[in-house]
Amino acid sequence: MVGWRLPEPSCMKSDEQLQRERDDKGAELVRVGMLRSERLRWAMLTVRREDFVPAAYRDHSYEEVPVRLPGRHATISCPHSYPLFYEALGLEEGQRFLEVGLGSGYGAALAREVVGPRGLVVSLEIDPDTFAYAADRLDRAGYRDVVRVLADGGEGWPGQAPYDRICVTAACPQVPPPLLEQLRVGGRLIVPLERDSRQVLTLCEKAPDGLHCTEVCDVLYVPLQGAYGRERPRVGEAPPALVVTCAGGERGRHTRSAVRRALPHARIHGTSFRGVLRVHAAGDPRSLAEHVTRTCRGSVGRVTAVLAEVPSEREALVEAAVGTGVDQVAPGESFAFRVHKRGAHRYAEPTPELEYAVGGALWDALARRDGTPPRVDLTRPDVLVNAEVLGPSTLVGIVRRAWQDEQA
């Protein structure tokens, strides 16, 4: 799944320019068949998305890019994401609607316009900073009748149940049971569900004989926090020992169990990104990476021994990559640098340019250390200095060719 890049700050456009862009975006979504219902189309033309985007990024309000919000892992989703969810749900006038993940408040404002005065919108947010931001934006935009609750969204809000429609805007391993309990019979729920290395947007209808679910499409969303989110590293925990990517095709589904067999006592965390696992285990990351690479041959993709975790910003990456390379590339060994971008990050350059710049800084550092020009091998280096970008964090480490050879 392709990641995204955060846009550069820009707030120069006039209200009239943004109005035209809002109209153009609505027409585009209608043209490609994503925006079909008249009430939702009217809502997207009425609600000013720029009122919910942080002021510094106002000019990007109608571009298909997410923008970071206050709070942990919080973003306002791309414009097309809202009809993607709401059209599948069949959100209509007069319905009782529960949203898990208030975010910027934009989705709640759209829903309020759709359900109208006879309907109800309740939105839950677990992060207090994100909650405060959204509440302020909703108030400023005049949506004071949206019920906002600072709480674990996976627990739902039984005080206003049952709901006709429930929308979960974060990925989770399964539908949280409290949400199913609060969904009326005949009601619909939509949620990104984690399936092996994928996130699948899933539409569920609660029927008298049980829950009927259909897959809509693959998506990429931040993980659900709270009691029903996937297993997550604890705050302040050390970086993982390894980052493991899944092998291609069907084998990708077996990567987690293969790593579990190789490292029985490891803690293996999924991520928000398709085919990427974080592995916490005791021991030297380099030895663990070699063991997993050799033991799980054919069941794993790239196995990186993680030696640093830094913010996804250029200066921090350069410092971590140079430090890692100077420590790990021995005199005479060939090296290369690679970066794999996913999620919302601060790397402005295209990947080839970033690799060239960071690789060049590492080449200079090795040349100063050894007094001779280091060897670069972009095809089969002895040491690959590797950067795995997982949204706001970048994990920097190494992959050795010897681990992948039949004979070390």
Side-chain angles (χ1 to χ4, degrees):
M1 185 171 293
V2 179
W4 59 77
R5 179 178 65 83
L6 284 176
E8 293 297 319
S10 180
C11 53
M12 302 293 291
K13 293 179 181 176
S14 67
D15 288 347
E16 290 73 20
Q17 286 176 294
L18 290 170
Q19 173 69 62
R20 287 195 295 271
E21 291 186 10
R22 183 160 64 254
D23 293 342
D24 290 345
K25 176 55 66 174
E28 175 192 341
L29 293 172
V30 169
R31 186 170 59 254
V32 299
M34 295 194 70
L35 185 54
R36 301 181 297 278
S37 66
E38 188 58 35
R39 287 195 69 87
L40 182 56
R41 178 177 177 275
W42 178 81
M44 293 195 72
L45 294 176
T46 300
V47 180
R48 292 161 43 102
R49 192 169 186 267
E50 59 267 31
D51 291 343
F52 296 88
V53 171
Y57 298 94
R58 186 171 182 267
D59 287 356
H60 303 287
S61 295
Y62 297 98
E63 297 175 15
E64 289 294 340
V65 292
V67 175
R68 186 174 295 159
L69 300 171
R72 189 166 182 259
H73 301 311
T75 61
I76 177 171
S77 298
C78 300
H80 80 273
S81 300
Y82 300 91
L84 178 65
F85 277 67
Y86 292 172
E87 293 284 15
L89 270 180
L91 190 62
E92 297 175 352
E93 185 178 7
Q95 291 177 336
R96 302 176 68 83
F97 175 73
L98 176 67
E99 178 186 46
V100 176
L102 176 58
S104 68
Y106 176 67
L110 289 176
R112 195 72 193 88
E113 294 288 355
V114 173
V115 303
R118 295 190 297 110
L120 172 73
V121 174
V122 178
S123 189
L124 308 175
E125 176 58 53
I126 196 170
D127 189 291
D129 293 331
T130 307
F131 179 84
Y133 175 88
D136 176 70
R137 295 303 170 116
L138 285 166
D139 285 346
R140 289 170 180 264
Y143 295 97
R144 295 179 176 85
D145 56 351
V146 170
V147 180
R148 319 104 185 229
V149 184
L150 180 60
D152 183 346
E155 300 285 357
W157 192 245
Q160 300 283 358
Y163 300 99
D164 300 295
R165 300 289 186 265
I166 298 178
C167 176
V168 183
T169 60
C172 48
Q174 62 178 354
V175 180
L179 299 183
L180 293 179
E181 293 173 6
Q182 295 167 34
L183 182 67
R184 72 165 177 84
V185 174
R188 297 177 188 171
L189 177 150
I190 195 164
V191 56
L193 291 180
E194 295 176 343
R195 293 288 181 259
D196 296 313
S197 59
R198 304 161 58 205
Q199 290 182 12
V200 181
L201 186 61
T202 305
L203 179 66
C204 302
E205 184 167 353
K206 187 176 181 179
D209 61 344
L211 197 66
H212 300 274
C213 297
T214 57
E215 295 184 356
V216 179
C217 62
D218 282 16
V219 291
L220 180 59
Y221 275 80
V222 298
L224 182 69
Q225 300 179 52
Y228 295 95
R230 60 170 169 75
E231 185 182 14
R232 297 177 58 79
R234 293 184 295 273
V235 175
E237 189 173 43
L242 310 176
V243 175
V244 179
T245 63
C246 295
E250 292 300 316
R251 293 176 181 174
R253 300 185 177 184
H254 307 302
T255 299
R256 184 187 289 263
S257 58
V259 175
R260 176 72 66 198
R261 289 192 297 271
L263 300 174
H265 301 295
R267 287 182 293 109
I268 304 172
H269 301 287
T271 69
S272 304
F273 308 104
R274 182 176 180 178
V276 184
L277 302 174
R278 296 168 60 112
V279 181
H280 291 258
D284 185 335
R286 295 164 297 183
S287 299
L288 295 171
E290 179 176 8
H291 176 66
V292 169
T293 301
R294 292 180 178 278
T295 304
C296 304
R297 193 182 303 276
S299 297
V300 299
R302 187 173 54 253
V303 182
T304 302
V306 177
L307 301 174
E309 182 170 12
V310 298
S312 294
E313 299 172 351
R314 190 180 189 277
E315 290 185 5
L317 175 60
V318 171
E319 182 178 355
V322 169
T324 297
V326 169
D327 286 343
Q328 301 298 321
V329 180
E333 286 187 318
S334 62
F335 82 95
F337 172 75
R338 289 285 180 263
V339 61
H340 306 274
K341 296 177 182 174
R342 306 172 189 85
H345 52 73
R346 292 283 184 183
Y347 300 122
E349 306 99 317
T351 296
E353 293 181 17
L354 183 61
E355 290 179 337
Y356 182 82
V358 179
L362 177 52
W363 191 96
D364 290 341
L366 292 173
R368 289 194 300 270
R369 183 196 68 181
D370 300 333
T372 58
R375 293 196 299 127
V376 175
D377 186 338
L378 300 180
T379 306
R380 295 188 75 239
D382 295 319
V383 182
L384 172 65
V385 179
N386 191 49
E388 300 282 356
V389 180
L390 304 180
S393 297
T394 296
L395 300 167
V396 180
I398 63 167
V399 178
R400 282 195 168 272
R401 187 179 70 187
W403 302 343
Q404 301 165 324
D405 292 341
E406 290 297 335
Q407 299 294 327

